[in-house]
Amino acid sequence: MRSSKSRLLPLPLERHLRPLLFGMLAIVLLVLLLTWFALQLQVAVAGFLNGESIWSKAQKQAIIELYAYANSGNTQHLKQYQDSMRIVVADRTGRDAVSGPDPHRGIARRAFASTGALPQAIPLLVFAMQHMADAPYIRIALRNWRASDPAMDELTRIARQLQVLYEQPHPAHAEINRLAARILTINNEVAPLANAFSRSITLGAAWLARVLFWSMVLATLLMLSIWLYFARRTLLALRGSESRYRTLLEGAHDAIAVIDAGSGRILEINQAAERMVGESRNELCGSPFASLFPDGLPPNVDSDSAVGTRKDVALRAGSGQVRHVAVSISQHSLGERPVQLAIMRDMSERRRMEDDRRVAAEALANIAEGVLIADASRRIISGNAAAEALSGFTAAELVGMPLDALRTSAGPFDAEGDGLGEIAWREVADLGHWQGRVRSRRKDGRSYPERLSLSAIRGEDGLPVRYVAVFDDISEAEAYQRQLEHLALHDPLTGLLNRAAFEQEAARALADNRRSSRKAAILFIDLDGFKAVNDSYGHAFGDQLLQQVGQRLLSQIGEHDCAGRIGGDEFTILLSDLDARDSALPTVRKLLLLLSEVFHVLEHEVFLSASIGVAGFPEDGGDPATLIANADAAMYSVKADERNSFRLYSPVMQASTRTRLSLAGELRQAITRGEFHLVYQPSLDLRTRRLLAVEALLRWSHPERGDISPSEFIPLAESLGMVRSVGEWVLDAACRQIRAWMDAGLPTLRVAVNISASHLRHPRFIEQLRAVLQRHRCPPSALMIELTESAILHVGERSRRTLTALHDLGIGVAVDDFGTGYSSLAYLKLPAIRTIKVDQSFVNGLPDDGNDAAITRAILALAHSLGLTAIAEGIENEQQLNFLLDAGCVEGQGYLFARPQPAEAIAALLARGA
């Protein structure tokens, strides 16, 4: 290297770019300054939003807790009300401390800090409330805030009155109810003010964001305009010199670098050099030329006066790669500056071809498939490691062996193997390749299936000079294929035949029976109550139960019989080679007994039963599809009458099945055609007979069949998977009716809606329920969800979350048919459970039946102890009413008071104050 006096002077380009650099720094500083100012304002806005959220939430929570205290007298609610009011009072103290003529910022800061406001935002929040009280939107927000003060003061007075009333031995419930009603009125007064306050704060934040955004845009545009002015002047000055540099170098195909002879640093390069090195001109210019060569330049080309050529020099090519080039360096002058001109030609292609040949040889030796190379006489001359591993022979043992000595194209091996045959070799000779499945023999004598590909390599005369065999063991692939074929024909859960495979097997067996004039029968088996078990315990439980059912079915059929699963809990069995249709009945009775025995699943004991339909061949059908359909019809006949039994098919059963199928099709269209409507069963205060609530009951008015009983179409909807769609319609119609009664100025009435277990467990149940409430502006407290005791049986985690979400929404849950299911009472501790309904099967026997009387008293006592409301169902006479009143029941429903009424009749009752 030369001394420092020969160091390169700054290029003219640097001097031209300095104004642009200074201008860009000025723009960055301005943007940072504006960003800092914007952040300070955003912190203030965040303080407002945070304070608004705390105040609004505390205000709403205070009203909710005071109302809960008024209704229950629970001092916990009073304490929570007082905690919320402390936040409201603290916020008001902070507001008033800075808004008066004599502001006290210290008091305001301490007050806002006690509410949990953002510490970083409190100083700016105090400043904004003191100096920006008349700013857009803030003035309106503060006015709405102050407007709610009298109402909150009144809440404080009401709280003291309630506390005094509840401290008395016999609280005056009329006065408590009046105060509770006043709390609701205050809530209706305060809610619009709180919403207006929140909206003003949000609009103010949006307005401030727009002002900040446009301020930053205008400032940035101004600075960019100034910068562009200087940039244009700089570009005009550089355009001439840029053209001279580019013309000099870009015409060459080889990579060219101009090097300062004194410092050895690169002054300029062309595009070919950029591509070769893999770096841009800006990255390379100014760097030492020798740094491009990881191993350094050879001795005769690394000095200042060096001139020469080297053919194989390693060049750094970017991304850690190395490119081999031939370097030619010559001396030149650029004005008064001595320079070197380095021309680099890529030599990597030649080395790459050599590397490719080496890699190909290594790949051939290491690929997973076996490769054998044979000479023109088809004798092996070499093989790779995979060929040795697959055949068990070493490479030395394979050499000289005929290529097809260990392979056969068909059939089992003989002692020596029979080769591939002339067809395969003829195809290789004609087409140049052949591929197929063969069996190959290892050195130890074991055979395996093999996929073999043969290719011929021809010489210049067109005759084969080498043969290449590529082969692989396909034992696992064929086993997998057999597994896939099994899955295509069998139910993956139970291992029984699926519907298609069962029909194929049945068709074959029936054809054999037809030739031998023998009889056969197809059994259609449907599990009774499986859906309830599946809904209660979950699908994993149901799957294990179905597996055990499949095993029991297989244990009862013969060698020539077959069993299949053709639906969720539907199974079919073919009994072949019978003397008569009745010969199947002993097996049918065994199946009924076997399926009624206890099932042990996941540490639970489950009892099921089955309904079985029997169709005989040939009298009930001559093909599997007809026999299955007729056996299905016979099974439904059992379902309709008794269950846990069997029926032999008769033609009249098909008519019943067709009617059911027709009704199923019409049920799918009933909603869109508007054939559903609701009636309402009143629920009264048994002491005053005042209307308290109604239960929404679904009715189907068919245009041709007339009114269809829910007991007929609800089970049908469950079997068709439509019960959720029907439940959604009922919820929507009930909420719409609640809103209609409210819009008519009638008192708010609680409406109970029955929901199925599957609908409750749907992942979007809460989301859809919330949407219905919002769409109809229906208060959640006016809606009650009724669930049967069996639906809550063994509540799973998803159901618990759903019931908790209902409680959070403010919707109560009533347990229908209480005492009729098989469950523990643990679910009564769930907060959503507010009501239990005494089933009418207990009420019917009152007051004479001692057992019903004892059970009813126990249910009412349990409800009272747990703080739940008890509603008696099916009250039909005065004796039942008197007994329930004596037992402490205060709410009930039944034909003694009213039958289910249309909405208009309920409206009339509400209007009369019934």
Side-chain angles (χ1 to χ4, degrees):
M1 288 295 178
R2 299 197 177 176
S3 63
S4 59
K5 66 180 181 179
S6 63
R7 187 174 300 163
L8 291 175
L9 295 175
L11 295 175
L13 177 62
E14 298 175 356
R15 294 195 298 272
H16 285 297
L17 292 179
R18 282 173 187 154
L20 299 181
L21 178 61
F22 293 151
M24 182 59 68
L25 289 175
I27 292 175
V28 171
L29 290 174
L30 176 62
V31 170
L32 290 175
L33 180 62
L34 290 174
T35 302
W36 179 86
F37 180 68
L39 286 175
Q40 298 305 307
L41 290 179
Q42 288 298 327
V43 169
V45 172
F48 266 111
L49 293 175
N50 177 246
E52 178 273 328
S53 175
I54 294 172
W55 172 79
S56 179
K57 182 178 178 181
Q59 178 177 273
K60 293 176 182 177
Q61 191 63 30
I63 295 173
I64 291 171
E65 295 299 339
L66 186 56
Y67 184 75
Y69 175 64
N71 285 318
S72 64
N74 189 334
T75 57
Q76 184 65 28
H77 291 298
L78 177 62
K79 182 180 180 302
Q80 292 175 354
Y81 156 77
Q82 293 168 345
D83 293 340
S84 299
M85 279 301 295
R86 276 193 286 273
I87 296 175
V88 174
V89 171
D91 275 333
R92 186 195 301 182
T93 302
R95 179 200 69 196
D96 295 339
V98 296
S99 60
D102 186 16
H104 298 281
R105 289 186 292 273
I107 296 175
R109 290 193 185 97
R110 289 191 295 274
F112 288 135
S114 68
T115 66
L118 292 173
Q120 303 91 333
I122 290 177
L124 292 173
L125 177 61
V126 173
F127 175 84
M129 294 187 68
Q130 182 179 356
H131 299 286
M132 300 174 63
D134 294 326
Y137 301 106
I138 296 180
R139 181 177 62 256
I140 299 174
L142 292 175
R143 184 179 64 203
N144 288 321
W145 188 356
R146 291 189 178 93
S148 66
D149 291 348
M152 300 309 294
D153 292 338
E154 185 177 353
L155 278 182
T156 302
R157 293 192 295 273
I158 291 174
R160 289 197 293 270
Q161 295 174 20
L162 287 171
Q163 190 173 4
V164 170
L165 288 171
Y166 274 115
E167 288 174 353
Q168 298 175 3
H170 302 287
H173 291 287
E175 179 63 16
I176 290 174
N177 291 337
R178 185 188 67 79
L179 292 176
R182 180 54 188 161
I183 293 171
L184 292 179
T185 302
I186 290 173
N187 179 60
N188 293 333
E189 296 172 357
V190 170
L193 296 174
N195 293 336
F197 175 80
S198 300
R199 185 173 182 273
S200 298
I201 291 298
T202 303
L203 292 174
W207 171 80
L208 183 59
R210 290 194 297 271
V211 170
L212 291 175
F213 172 76
W214 288 113
S215 298
M216 294 184 70
V217 168
L218 291 175
T220 303
L221 289 177
L222 177 62
M223 294 302 296
L224 283 175
S225 299
I226 298 173
W227 186 84
L228 288 174
Y229 169 76
F230 286 103
R232 182 174 179 275
R233 292 184 58 186
T234 302
L235 290 175
L236 289 175
L238 293 175
R239 187 170 295 169
S241 59
E242 177 68 19
S243 177
R244 290 192 296 272
Y245 276 109
R246 295 278 65 80
T247 304
L248 177 66
L249 298 175
E250 299 304 337
H253 294 289
D254 290 334
I256 299 176
V258 179
I259 308 164
D260 180 70
S263 65
R265 296 180 179 274
I266 299 173
L267 300 178
E268 187 59 275
I269 61 171
N270 63 352
Q271 292 182 358
E274 289 183 287
R275 292 191 297 268
M276 180 177 290
V277 178
E279 297 182 22
S280 67
R281 179 179 286 105
N282 293 335
E283 293 172 323
L284 291 174
C285 289
S287 62
F289 179 67
S291 66
L292 300 181
F293 304 93
D295 300 332
L297 287 170
N300 62 335
V301 292
D302 63 356
S303 64
D304 292 342
S305 60
V307 176
T309 300
R310 278 291 178 270
K311 290 187 177 181
D312 193 0
V313 182
L315 174 71
R316 171 170 55 85
S319 302
Q321 299 179 354
V322 173
R323 188 188 301 269
H324 291 269
V325 297
V327 182
S328 174
I329 299 180
S330 58
Q331 299 286 350
H332 294 274
S333 296
L334 188 60
E336 297 180 354
R337 174 182 292 175
V339 297
Q340 294 176 336
L341 187 66
I343 301 175
M344 296 171 285
R345 180 164 296 169
D346 192 356
M347 301 295 289
S348 299
E349 190 62 30
R350 180 184 301 172
R351 294 178 61 90
R352 186 179 299 111
M353 293 176 63
E354 295 174 355
D355 291 342
D356 288 346
R357 285 194 292 269
R358 185 179 66 256
V359 169
E362 292 180 1
L364 183 64
N366 294 292
I367 61 174
E369 290 81 5
V371 178
L372 296 174
I373 300 176
D375 58 18
S377 61
R378 306 176 188 171
R379 291 191 173 274
I380 298 171
I381 58 176
S382 66
N384 67 349
E388 296 182 49
L390 288 170
S391 66
F393 292 93
T394 65
E397 292 171 329
L398 288 171
V399 172
M401 187 181 296
L403 191 59
D404 58 351
L406 302 176
R407 291 165 178 83
T408 181
S409 57
F413 273 100
D414 55 22
E416 298 296 332
D418 60 358
L420 298 178
E422 287 302 319
I423 296 179
W425 288 113
R426 188 179 302 116
E427 188 170 330
V428 172
D430 295 340
L431 303 178
H433 60 84
W434 175 86
Q435 181 173 328
R437 178 191 182 279
V438 300
R439 291 201 65 82
S440 185
R441 179 165 50 87
R442 294 187 172 92
K443 183 178 180 180
D444 59 8
R446 292 181 295 117
S447 66
Y448 64 93
E450 182 180 87
R451 181 173 50 246
L452 175 65
S453 175
L454 287 175
S455 300
I457 302 176
R458 302 181 186 275
E460 294 181 357
D461 57 0
L463 297 177
V465 295
R466 293 288 186 272
Y467 292 97
V468 179
V470 180
F471 58 96
D472 191 18
D473 184 350
I474 58 173
S475 301
E476 293 184 2
E478 290 191 348
Y480 180 67
Q481 180 64 30
R482 288 191 296 271
Q483 182 181 3
L484 291 178
E485 292 173 355
H486 180 271
L487 290 175
L489 298 176
H490 293 77
D491 171 43
L493 181 63
T494 62
L496 303 178
L497 296 175
N498 58 26
R499 187 183 190 106
F502 180 82
E503 290 187 358
Q504 293 175 3
E505 185 65 22
R508 183 196 59 76
L510 294 179
D512 292 343
N513 284 11
R514 185 177 289 107
R515 285 191 295 269
S516 61
S517 299
R518 298 287 290 173
K519 307 291 185 180
I522 284 185
L523 314 183
F524 196 104
I525 305 168
D526 184 270
L527 302 180
D528 301 328
F530 175 77
K531 185 177 185 301
V533 173
N534 204 35
D535 289 342
S536 300
Y537 291 92
H539 292 291
F541 187 96
D543 288 348
Q544 292 198 26
L545 180 58
L546 289 175
Q547 290 173 348
Q548 293 190 26
V549 169
Q551 294 168 3
R552 294 190 184 186
L553 295 181
L554 286 175
S555 69
Q556 296 301 311
I557 63 176
E559 179 182 357
H560 301 292
D561 304 329
C562 62
R565 179 182 176 221
I566 64 172
D569 60 347
E570 295 177 337
F571 300 85
T572 51
I573 290 179
L574 169 68
L575 301 177
S576 60
D577 198 24
L578 301 177
D579 296 327
R581 184 177 69 173
D582 290 348
S583 301
L585 298 185
T587 301
V588 172
R589 294 188 178 95
K590 289 180 182 179
L591 289 172
L592 288 174
L593 289 174
L594 190 63
L595 294 176
S596 64
E597 293 179 0
V598 62
F599 289 88
H600 297 277
V601 183
L602 298 178
E603 300 181 355
H604 291 274
E605 291 185 350
V606 179
F607 290 91
L608 289 178
S609 61
S611 299
I612 303 178
V614 183
F617 169 82
E619 59 266 37
D620 297 328
D623 59 89
T626 302
L627 290 170
I628 291 173
N630 292 340
D632 185 20
M635 181 275 297
Y636 271 110
S637 176
V638 180
K639 285 277 191 185
D641 292 341
E642 51 184 324
R643 303 194 175 195
N644 193 25
S645 185
F646 69 91
R647 292 282 172 82
L648 298 175
Y649 169 75
S650 64
V652 71
M653 294 176 179
Q654 274 294 0
S656 174
T657 301
R658 284 192 295 271
T659 300
R660 181 177 178 276
L661 292 175
S662 175
L663 189 63
E666 293 166 348
L667 178 61
R668 296 180 187 277
Q669 303 177 18
I671 295 178
T672 57
R673 291 177 177 175
E675 297 173 4
F676 283 157
H677 69 277
L678 294 181
V679 294
Y680 301 90
Q681 174 72 51
S683 183
L684 308 179
D685 186 324
L686 299 183
R687 299 163 299 183
T688 63
R689 301 204 179 185
R690 181 172 61 88
L691 180 63
L692 297 178
V694 293
E695 179 181 359
L697 303 174
L698 181 62
R699 296 293 184 263
W700 182 8
S701 297
H702 194 280
E704 298 176 359
R705 304 176 191 267
D707 291 339
I708 301 177
S709 170
S711 62
E712 183 176 356
F713 69 83
I714 292 298
L716 183 60
E718 291 178 347
S719 66
L720 295 173
M722 290 183 59
V723 70
R724 184 169 64 88
S725 299
V726 173
E728 290 173 355
W729 184 92
V730 172
L731 279 173
D732 186 83
C735 291
R736 183 170 60 251
Q737 185 59 58
I738 292 172
R739 170 45 54 187
W741 285 332
M742 294 177 64
D743 291 343
L746 299 173
T748 303
L749 188 65
R750 187 184 76 236
V751 177
V753 175
N754 292 279
I755 294 298
S756 69
S758 59
H759 191 185
L760 178 74
R761 273 188 288 272
H762 191 270
R764 297 187 59 199
F765 173 72
I766 293 297
E767 175 187 345
Q768 293 170 344
L769 178 58
R770 185 182 290 111
V772 170
L773 292 173
Q774 293 174 352
R775 181 166 60 252
H776 296 296
R777 296 178 293 117
C778 177
S781 58
L783 184 67
M784 176 171 283
I785 299 299
E786 281 199 13
L787 300 170
T788 62
E789 189 174 29
S790 60
I792 311 179
L793 180 66
H794 300 285
V795 176
E797 186 58 31
R798 176 181 291 178
S799 297
R800 290 182 184 275
R801 290 197 300 268
T802 302
L803 292 176
T804 301
L806 287 173
H807 176 68
D808 295 340
L809 272 177
I811 297 175
V813 174
V815 182
D816 200 6
D817 302 337
F818 184 79
T820 62
Y822 299 93
S823 66
S824 71
L825 300 178
Y827 65 84
L828 293 179
K829 297 186 294 183
L830 296 173
I833 305 297
R834 299 181 185 175
T835 303
I836 56 177
K837 302 187 75 172
V838 183
D839 189 69
Q840 69 177 40
S841 63
F842 303 131
V843 176
N844 287 341
L846 299 178
D848 300 326
D849 190 306
N851 291 331
D852 287 342
I855 292 173
T856 302
R857 289 185 186 277
I859 293 174
L860 294 174
L862 176 65
H864 179 74
S865 299
L866 295 176
L868 303 176
T869 301
I871 301 176
E873 296 182 299
I875 304 174
E876 297 183 354
N877 55 60
E878 293 291 342
Q879 292 79 9
Q880 294 171 347
L881 174 62
N882 293 332
F883 177 89
L884 291 168
L885 285 171
D886 292 339
C889 184
V890 297
E891 186 175 346
Q893 60 189 60
Y895 289 174
L896 175 63
F897 310 116
R899 291 180 177 273
Q901 303 288 321
E904 296 79 8
I906 299 299
L909 289 174
L910 289 172
R912 292 198 303 268

